[in-house]
Amino acid sequence: MLNTLFIAIVLCIIHIILGQSDIQYLIFEGGGPDEGPGPNQTLNIASLKRTFGEINPTAQRMYAYGKQQMRFLTRSNAFVRSELETAFTLAENTNTPLFIHIDPIYGWGADEENSTADAPTIKYWNNETMREWIEFPLNKSQLPNRIPRTWFNWGSWCSPSSAFPAIGAPNFINFSAIQFNESIAKPLAQWIIKLNKENKSYLFAGINIGWETNILNYRQIDPTHLPTAVWPVNSRNITMQQWEAGAQLGYASLYWQGWTEEKLIIEAQHRNITRDVLFNLLCYEIIHNYLEVLAKVCYDNNISRERIFTHIVPMASVDASRIDTTVPPIWTAVNSYSIPGFTMDNRGAAIYNLTELKYQITIVDPSQSHFAVSESYLFNYGDEESMRDNLNEAFNNGGLIKAIYGALPFSSEDPQPAGAIKAIQQWLNTNHTLILK
Ligand SMILES: *[C@@H]1O[C@H](CO)[C@@H](O)[C@H](O)[C@H]1NC(C)=O
Ligand SMILES: *[C@@H]1O[C@H](CO)[C@@H](O)[C@H](O)[C@H]1NC(C)=O
Ligand SMILES: *[C@@H]1O[C@H](CO)[C@@H](O)[C@H](O)[C@H]1NC(C)=O
Ligand SMILES: *[C@@H]1O[C@H](CO)[C@@H](O)[C@H](O)[C@H]1NC(C)=O
Ligand SMILES: *[C@@H]1O[C@H](CO)[C@@H](O)[C@H](O)[C@H]1NC(C)=O
Ligand SMILES: *[C@@H]1O[C@H](CO)[C@@H](O)[C@H](O)[C@H]1NC(C)=O
Ligand SMILES: *[C@@H]1O[C@H](CO)[C@@H](O)[C@H](O)[C@H]1NC(C)=O
Ligand SMILES: *[C@@H]1O[C@H](CO)[C@@H](O)[C@H](O)[C@H]1NC(C)=O
Ligand SMILES: *[C@@H]1O[C@H](CO)[C@@H](O)[C@H](O)[C@H]1NC(C)=O
Ligand SMILES: *[C@@H]1O[C@H](CO)[C@@H](O)[C@H](O)[C@H]1NC(C)=O
Ligand SMILES: *[C@@H]1O[C@H](CO)[C@@H](O)[C@H](O)[C@H]1NC(C)=O
Ligand SMILES: *[C@@H]1O[C@H](CO)[C@@H](O)[C@H](O)[C@H]1NC(C)=O
């Protein structure tokens, strides 16, 4: 009896100390690959309320709506800031927590702005010091003239920009960090201060600063069957070039860090590893550092580490032989300014071993007991039992958030999976037990 009372008091104190940071959020995101101006969030929020009821400000579990694909690399700061302000206002007016997700690598919306005022100050895809190559330059005065497009397959082929950013190049990192700070992190920090004053800090569910962050390669492409872009609509007449098939990107990132082919070979010999192993290792460090830079921009604005999330694919936790620059090692997602996050779908392509994944996180950061499901899907989890198990697996093992993509709107054209919805309703209505560290 006394024990129970004591535990209750301790839990109560912990709840007060942690404030809102112990809320678990289930995030619903709408939209497809080429979201354009975005889904109608008013309708999305209305369907969330209809399905799950109003948000209880004292609850320990909440749903949130996701503002996706914030295009800070392909739009002006003013444009992005204005989209963000709209999202803040909607969250406050509807009392619905907001989750933010950025596009840090793909370049969705490149060259699709409606006016020059909406364009970024620098278009990285046109800047010779900020875009990727598939080879080193022959010499300093002759940079490569073959610039690979951004290509990836999300069920359909996507090619949103005419170049992939050199995420290890100092000029690009500097541009990206300043652009991200001015358009998103700074206004977000101001909003969080406002929410705190209003006792509504629960309305900020978090920010994902990655998006399966990786350095692309086109190794699997058969040069006799070159893909043609399906998304975005403006790229639909574009087919991959013969010379892009089989290519590895990353050379510009390495070059602008001071690497050449000769230096790579000498350093590889020095480390007693192959040149290709060293190349990949340097790319993994670049992926890690780019995630860290964007997380730190948020952290330096006093945004809590528990609300900043990274995002890579998780397959390295299942099969180390699959690791390459598109399937980076788990440690690339771990840094001191954020919670490591992953796409997680054991019934799809993003397969993971949670035990191994958590183990690999703690090798890098022994104090890190949390992780995030930065991307998942309703698809394949439509029945009640599947969704219940899926939610319990994440949230009973240190998961802070779980984002579900393509989940909204719950419209008549896109019927709700009734079993999954029931499991989510039950999850929302159950208070989670605080786990003592
Ligand atoms: C979203 O839908 C609501 C309700 O139908 C409508 O009033 C509103 O104008 C729409 N918003 C946008 C941005 O299309
Ligand atoms: C640009 O203009 C088109 C056509 O007028 C409109 O449909 C689209 O929403 C606009 N895009 C942005 C980003 O404002
Ligand atoms: C590319 O970006 C760098 C760094 O911001 C800048 O110094 C340079 O002038 C840019 N090049 C072009 C062609 O705009
Ligand atoms: C750089 O390489 C190009 C192409 O091979 C050649 O034409 C040029 O003379 C070289 N420049 C220098 C400074 O070596
Ligand atoms: C970063 O970019 C800004 C704006 O383009 C520029 O003023 C500054 O010198 C750059 N800093 C570095 C370290 O490149
Ligand atoms: C972001 O803005 C904050 C606040 O103005 C500033 O302290 C910080 O240096 C900026 N960071 C970058 C990377 O520009
Ligand atoms: C916020 O909560 C504190 C402490 O419970 C209370 O004193 C204050 O009046 C509240 N502020 C607002 C704006 O509700
Ligand atoms: C695709 O079409 C647009 C305009 O319709 C044109 O500007 C562009 O050059 C075309 N691209 C290719 C690769 O043919
Ligand atoms: C270099 O690595 C190989 C195996 O990868 C090993 O057999 C060899 O002993 C290593 N050489 C040195 C000097 O460490
Ligand atoms: C963050 O908080 C610290 C300590 O309260 C303060 O000194 C600093 O100015 C804040 N930074 C920003 C960018 O708000
Ligand atoms: C998952 O990883 C753990 C730890 O590495 C291992 O013991 C276990 O066998 C793995 N599970 C499966 C299903 O492979
Ligand atoms: C969960 O706990 C909070 C207080 O921490 C309380 O306000 C809320 O009603 C509880 N919810 C349920 C479903 O028990």
Side-chain angles (χ1 to χ4, degrees):
M1 188 63 198
L2 207 60
N3 266 347
T4 317
L5 187 64
F6 177 72
I7 290 168
I9 290 168
V10 168
L11 289 181
C12 195
I13 290 169
I14 286 170
H15 188 76
I16 290 162
I17 292 170
L18 290 180
Q20 304 296 347
S21 71
D22 58 334
I23 298 175
Q24 295 179 332
Y25 290 96
L26 190 62
I27 297 139
F28 292 83
E29 310 211 11
D34 185 22
E35 207 181 39
N40 186 323
Q41 297 282 24
T42 308
L43 289 176
N44 281 348
I45 288 173
S47 61
L48 282 172
K49 290 194 177 196
R50 210 168 40 244
T51 313
F52 302 120
E54 295 287 334
I55 289 288
N56 167 8
T58 64
Q60 295 173 357
R61 288 177 163 170
M62 298 183 187
Y63 62 79
Y65 86 98
K67 170 65 190 157
Q68 248 184 319
Q69 299 198 8
M70 299 219 64
R71 298 171 170 187
F72 72 102
L73 293 175
T74 62
R75 289 291 178 274
S76 67
N77 290 333
F79 182 95
V80 176
R81 222 181 284 133
S82 144
E83 281 197 333
L84 201 58
E85 294 294 340
T86 304
F88 294 157
T89 306
L90 192 58
E92 288 193 67
N93 288 348
T94 61
N95 193 42
T96 304
L98 166 66
F99 186 81
I100 295 160
H101 184 204
I102 66 173
D103 174 6
I105 55 171
Y106 299 110
W108 286 106
D111 289 326
E112 288 181 1
E113 67 274 4
N114 281 345
S115 82
T116 49
D118 293 345
T121 51
I122 294 177
K123 292 188 167 182
Y124 70 79
W125 54 98
N126 292 335
N127 186 290
E128 68 283 2
T129 69
M130 297 192 184
R131 61 189 181 189
E132 267 307 339
W133 302 322
I134 59 168
E135 60 212 335
F136 280 124
L138 288 172
N139 59 49
K140 276 200 177 86
S141 47
Q142 179 91 24
L143 300 180
N145 53 22
R146 296 192 303 184
I147 307 301
R149 288 186 66 86
T150 296
W151 286 100
F152 50 93
N153 190 328
W154 284 353
S156 309
W157 277 98
C158 303
S159 188
S161 55
S162 60
F164 189 70
I167 61 172
N171 276 353
F172 174 77
I173 296 171
N174 182 41
F175 164 71
S176 176
I178 292 175
Q179 195 83 359
F180 177 57
N181 201 24
E182 294 301 323
S183 66
I184 296 173
K186 272 163 72 169
L188 176 58
Q190 292 308 308
W191 187 53
I192 292 170
I193 291 171
K194 178 173 183 279
L195 290 179
N196 287 345
K197 283 193 192 130
E198 296 167 356
N199 292 340
K200 287 187 176 172
S201 58
Y202 62 90
L203 288 180
F204 173 55
I207 179 167
N208 175 357
I209 54 83
W211 196 356
E212 297 188 342
T213 301
N214 76 92
I215 294 177
L216 294 173
N217 70 54
Y218 309 141
R219 291 212 195 118
Q220 308 304 326
I221 307 298
D222 174 356
T224 63
H225 291 93
L226 295 167
T228 296
V230 175
W231 301 103
V233 171
N234 285 356
S235 296
R236 282 192 178 167
N237 59 348
I238 301 176
T239 295
M240 187 183 272
Q241 308 274 331
Q242 197 90 40
W243 54 261
E244 288 177 295
Q248 170 69 56
L249 281 66
Y251 284 86
S253 287
L254 294 193
Y255 179 75
W256 296 113
Q257 292 188 357
W259 291 96
T260 60
E261 186 63 37
E262 198 181 15
K263 284 188 186 170
L264 263 189
I265 290 168
I266 292 168
E267 178 65 17
Q269 277 167 357
H270 183 66
R271 295 196 201 179
N272 194 23
I273 53 179
T274 67
R275 175 265 186 217
D276 288 354
V277 166
L278 178 58
F279 182 98
N280 282 350
L281 185 58
L282 295 169
C283 286
Y284 307 149
E285 281 168 6
I286 285 165
I287 293 165
H288 170 271
N289 293 350
Y290 185 48
L291 286 164
E292 183 175 62
V293 162
L294 295 181
K296 186 169 186 297
V297 170
C298 292
Y299 188 86
D300 286 347
N301 277 292
N302 290 339
I303 297 170
S304 149
R305 180 183 183 183
E306 276 69 37
R307 299 265 74 93
I308 306 166
F309 304 98
T310 62
H311 184 183
I312 63 168
V313 293
M315 288 84 86
S317 66
V318 174
D319 181 0
S321 75
R322 290 192 56 187
I323 295 177
D324 76 7
T325 63
T326 64
V327 182
I330 299 303
W331 59 262
T332 61
V334 185
N335 62 60
S336 311
Y337 310 105
S338 63
I339 303 299
F342 308 86
T343 301
M344 295 174 78
D345 180 14
N346 263 338
R347 293 178 178 176
I351 54 171
Y352 58 92
N353 175 334
L354 187 58
T355 311
E356 181 64 21
L357 187 133
K358 283 179 63 94
Y359 170 69
Q360 291 190 23
I361 291 171
T362 53
I363 291 176
V364 193
D365 181 355
S367 71
Q368 185 56 271
S369 56
H370 295 305
F371 70 97
V373 185
S374 295
E375 175 171 343
S376 63
Y377 321 96
L378 278 182
F379 189 70
N380 284 336
Y381 300 87
D383 65 288
E384 190 180 340
E385 189 186 357
S386 293
M387 181 51 75
R388 189 177 54 233
D389 291 350
N390 201 233
L391 289 167
N392 287 342
E393 187 199 43
F395 289 108
N396 296 352
N397 283 298
L400 292 184
I401 56 145
K402 175 174 161 71
I404 306 181
Y405 280 32
L408 293 171
F410 296 138
S411 63
S412 45
E413 307 88 70
D414 187 12
Q416 314 171 17
I421 297 296
K422 193 170 172 207
I424 293 169
Q425 283 163 338
Q426 278 169 359
W427 178 84
L428 284 168
N429 287 327
T430 310
N431 270 342
H432 68 83
T433 317
L434 285 166
I435 296 158
L436 297 169
K437 275 195 198 159

